[in-house]
């Protein structure tokens, strides 16, 4: 269950992804209150480049063996059906072997040629299929009248070449023999199409995540550099230390905050650096209460996922007239792989929902990333009130 509460608006999470190029395995549903242990972590398993092709087509020798086994079973079945009542299995077997070439050719043309090239183009497929089955039935009638009856079943009286009953009988037998291979081929086609659609969807989601990450970097830098600029203008002696802090943060951005999860302890250290920069900026004007608890080194989290909430709190806690004080409380805890973030900040009366609600760039960004990265594994509540702004985020994280 995923719930985002923003002025009574509910947003649903996206669906898990499972592709041929990337297989995403997610855990079970989240409890109503977000308690209990997480399921297994989602794992991205890269498959070989030709995995979809290997799954969707038989290896050629294996295909030949499959066809041979199927046709052999068909010949034996009809030999028994036709030979046992007359107690002449050998003659029935020879008849079926002589009748095999048109059936074999018909199955090959339908399954490998028609279904392989024009499946879905019904205006071409249906007439071609009807023509093939009629031609194969005519070929079968030629074998019956000029080979089997004169030499094997001499006591049978030949009928006209285009006589309807024997012609329809051959059509039914051809339809019977092609049904199973056609069904197998259809399953292959469906699997390939589904794999292609899932691969395209996975690539789209990966591209969207990449865009969100690249959009977020300049947004973050804009706010941090503004804080540092204010310190430099005031001639603060702490400016060099702040530059060092910023250097550490940028090192985290460049070398650690890639497309793989990081330990929550590294993310917490990064947040502590950001908070130190903001404390230096606002000084005594800001009352700050921060607490980190639990085994933060034992779980993994998507990098830079929590910063927008902290950034939003600092941005709006002191947007009132100059001289006014603000406050922020931040608690991050980990229990049984559940990370819980509770953040609350003061909200000036002149702050409008459009300025401080969920419409901000950073919060919209992080909401979308949560949808993509933790579907059905997180709970997010954002509650704007007249004098304060409250955020509750719970994520079922992956063990480190």
């Amino acid at each position: 269950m995923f719930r985002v509460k923003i002025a009574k608006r509910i947003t649903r999470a996206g669906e898990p992804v499972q592709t041929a190029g990337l297989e995403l395995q997610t855990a079970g549903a989240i409890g109503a209150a977000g308690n209990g242990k997480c399921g297994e972590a989602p794992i991205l398993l890269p498959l070989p480049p030709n995995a979809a092709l290997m799954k969707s087509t038989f290896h050629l020798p294996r295909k030949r063996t499959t066809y041979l086994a199927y046709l052999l079973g068909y010949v034996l079945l009809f030999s028994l059906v036709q030979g046992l009542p007359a107690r002449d299995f050998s003659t029935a077997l020879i008849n079926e072997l002589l009748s095999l070439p048109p059936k074999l050719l018909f199955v090959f043309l339908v399954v490998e040629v028609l279904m392989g090239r024009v499946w879905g183009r019904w205006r071409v497929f249906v007439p071609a299929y009807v023509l093939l089955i009629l031609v194969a039935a005519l070929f079968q009638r030629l074998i019956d009248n000029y080979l089997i009856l004169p030499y094997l079943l001499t006591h049978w009286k030949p009928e006209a070449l285009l006589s309807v009953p024997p012609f329809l009988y051959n059509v039914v037998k051809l339809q019977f023999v092609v049904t199973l291979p056609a069904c197998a081929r259809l399953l292959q086609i469906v699997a390939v199409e589904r794999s292609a659609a899932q691969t395209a969807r996975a690539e789209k989601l990966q591209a969207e995540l990449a865009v969100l990450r690249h959009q977020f970097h300049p947004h973050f830098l804009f706010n941090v550099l503004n804080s540092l600029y204010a310190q430099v203008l005031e001639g603060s002696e702490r400016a060099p230390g702040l530059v060092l802090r910023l250097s550490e943060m940028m090192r985290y951005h460049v070398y650690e905050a890639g497309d793989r999860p990081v330990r929550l302890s590294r993310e917490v250290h990064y947040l502590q650096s950001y908070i130190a920069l903001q404390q230096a900026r606002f000084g005594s004007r800001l009352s700050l209460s921060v607490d980190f608890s639990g085994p933060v080194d034992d779980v993994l989290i998507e990098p830079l996922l929590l910063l927008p909430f902290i950034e939003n709190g600092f941005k709006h806690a002191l947007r009132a007239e100059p001289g006014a004080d603000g406050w922020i409380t931040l608690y991050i805890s980990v229990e049984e792989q559940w990370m819980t973030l509770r953040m609350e900040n003061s909200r000036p009366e002149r702050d409008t929902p459009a300025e401080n609600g969920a419409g901000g760039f950073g919060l919209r960004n992080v909401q979308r990333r949560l949808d993509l990265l933790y579907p059905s594994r997180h709970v997010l509540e954002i509650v704007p009130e007249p004098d304060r702004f409250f955020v509750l985020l719970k994520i079922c994280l992956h063990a480190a």
Side-chain angles (χ1 to χ4, degrees), residues 83-112:
L84 287 180
R87 297 182 179 180
D88 192 0
F89 176 76
S90 60
T91 301
L93 179 61
I94 295 173
N95 290 346
E96 288 301 324
L97 290 174
L98 291 175
S99 302
L100 194 58
K103 295 182 178 67
L104 182 60
L105 182 61
F106 175 66
V107 169
F108 174 79
L109 291 176
V110 170
V111 174
E112 299 298 331

Side-chain angles (χ1 to χ4, degrees), residues 212-226 253 274 307-308 311-312 315 360-365:
L212 289 174
R213 290 191 186 100
H214 285 89
Q215 285 177 338
F216 182 72
H217 287 204
H219 177 69
F220 156 78
L221 282 175
F222 176 79
N223 290 299
V224 172
L225 289 176
N226 272 346
H253 266 270
Y274 178 82
L307 182 62
E311 188 181 33
N312 188 73
K315 178 181 177 182
F361 172 82
L363 292 186
R364 289 199 307 270
N365 184 309

Side-chain angles (χ1 to χ4, degrees), residues 49-158:
N50 296 326
L53 183 60
M54 290 191 298
K55 288 183 177 181
S56 63
T57 35
F58 286 120
H59 194 258
L60 188 56
R62 183 182 175 187
K63 180 186 292 188
R64 290 174 178 171
T65 304
T66 303
Y67 272 128
L68 182 61
Y70 171 70
L71 292 173
L72 180 61
Y74 168 84
V75 167
L76 291 176
L77 174 64
F78 273 86
S79 298
L80 289 172
V81 169
Q82 297 179 7
L84 287 180
R87 297 182 179 180
D88 192 0
F89 176 76
S90 60
T91 301
L93 179 61
I94 295 173
N95 290 346
E96 288 301 324
L97 290 174
L98 291 175
S99 302
L100 194 58
K103 295 182 178 67
L104 182 60
L105 182 61
F106 175 66
V107 169
F108 174 79
L109 291 176
V110 170
V111 174
E112 299 298 331
V113 179
L114 278 186
M115 296 187 72
R117 297 185 181 181
V118 297
W119 179 258
R121 295 160 54 189
W122 306 119
R123 293 184 179 181
V124 178
F125 181 86
V126 173
Y129 180 82
V130 172
L131 179 62
L132 277 177
I133 199 169
L134 292 178
V135 171
L138 179 60
F139 189 17
Q140 182 64 59
R141 289 293 296 133
L142 290 171
I143 293 176
D144 290 342
N145 278 13
Y146 296 102
L147 186 60
I148 294 177
L149 294 179
Y151 297 101
L152 295 175
L153 301 177
T154 55
H155 57 284
W156 283 35
K157 181 180 179 182

Side-chain angles (χ1 to χ4, degrees), residues 45-335:
L45 301 174
L47 297 180
N50 296 326
L53 183 60
M54 290 191 298
K55 288 183 177 181
S56 63
T57 35
F58 286 120
H59 194 258
L60 188 56
R62 183 182 175 187
K63 180 186 292 188
R64 290 174 178 171
T65 304
T66 303
Y67 272 128
L68 182 61
Y70 171 70
L71 292 173
L72 180 61
Y74 168 84
V75 167
L76 291 176
L77 174 64
F78 273 86
S79 298
L80 289 172
V81 169
Q82 297 179 7
L84 287 180
R87 297 182 179 180
D88 192 0
F89 176 76
S90 60
T91 301
L93 179 61
I94 295 173
N95 290 346
E96 288 301 324
L97 290 174
L98 291 175
S99 302
L100 194 58
K103 295 182 178 67
L104 182 60
L105 182 61
F106 175 66
V107 169
F108 174 79
L109 291 176
V110 170
V111 174
E112 299 298 331
V113 179
L114 278 186
M115 296 187 72
R117 297 185 181 181
V118 297
W119 179 258
R121 295 160 54 189
W122 306 119
R123 293 184 179 181
V124 178
F125 181 86
V126 173
Y129 180 82
V130 172
L131 179 62
L132 277 177
I133 199 169
L134 292 178
V135 171
L138 179 60
F139 189 17
Q140 182 64 59
R141 289 293 296 133
L142 290 171
I143 293 176
D144 290 342
N145 278 13
Y146 296 102
L147 186 60
I148 294 177
L149 294 179
Y151 297 101
L152 295 175
L153 301 177
T154 55
H155 57 284
W156 283 35
K157 181 180 179 182
E159 298 187 38
L161 188 64
L162 298 180
S163 178
V164 174
F167 196 89
L168 288 179
Y169 175 73
N170 286 328
V171 168
V172 171
K173 288 187 70 175
L174 288 166
Q175 183 60 53
F176 179 86
V177 76
V178 81
T179 298
L180 190 58
C183 288
R185 180 66 171 179
L186 179 59
L187 290 177
Q188 282 188 355
I189 292 172
V190 171
V192 170
E193 290 178 350
R194 182 177 297 176
S195 174
Q198 291 175 342
T199 301
R201 183 181 177 194
E203 290 174 351
K204 180 181 177 182
L205 292 179
Q206 292 294 328
E208 185 174 353
L209 275 174
V211 169
L212 289 174
R213 290 191 186 100
H214 285 89
Q215 285 177 338
F216 182 72
H217 287 204
H219 177 69
F220 156 78
L221 282 175
F222 176 79
N223 290 299
V224 172
L225 289 176
N226 272 346
S227 301
L228 184 58
Y229 178 67
Q231 293 290 321
V232 173
L233 285 181
E234 295 173 1
S236 172
E237 295 180 355
R238 292 178 297 181
L242 297 178
V243 171
L244 183 60
R245 285 272 193 178
L246 181 59
S247 173
E248 292 178 353
M249 295 173 69
M250 294 312 302
R251 186 179 297 110
Y252 178 76
H253 266 270
V254 174
Y255 296 110
E256 297 184 49
D259 58 354
R260 291 291 179 183
V262 298
R263 291 182 183 271
L264 182 59
S265 57
R266 286 295 297 125
E267 188 79 357
V268 165
H269 180 74
Y270 176 84
L271 295 177
Q272 289 172 331
S273 297
Y274 178 82
I275 291 171
L277 286 174
Q278 296 290 25
Q279 278 184 309
R281 175 186 176 187
F282 293 113
S284 60
R285 291 180 56 203
L286 181 66
S287 175
L288 184 63
S289 176
V290 179
D291 181 66
F292 303 102
S293 63
V296 294
D297 198 46
D298 296 342
V299 290
L300 301 174
I301 191 171
E302 172 73 8
L304 306 176
L305 189 65
L306 305 180
L307 182 62
F309 300 111
I310 287 82
E311 188 181 33
N312 188 73
F314 278 102
K315 178 181 177 182
H316 296 287
L318 294 172
R319 289 187 62 177
E321 60 277 359
D325 294 336
W327 54 269
I328 294 176
T329 60
L330 171 63
Y331 301 98
I332 295 178
S333 62
V334 176
E335 183 177 357

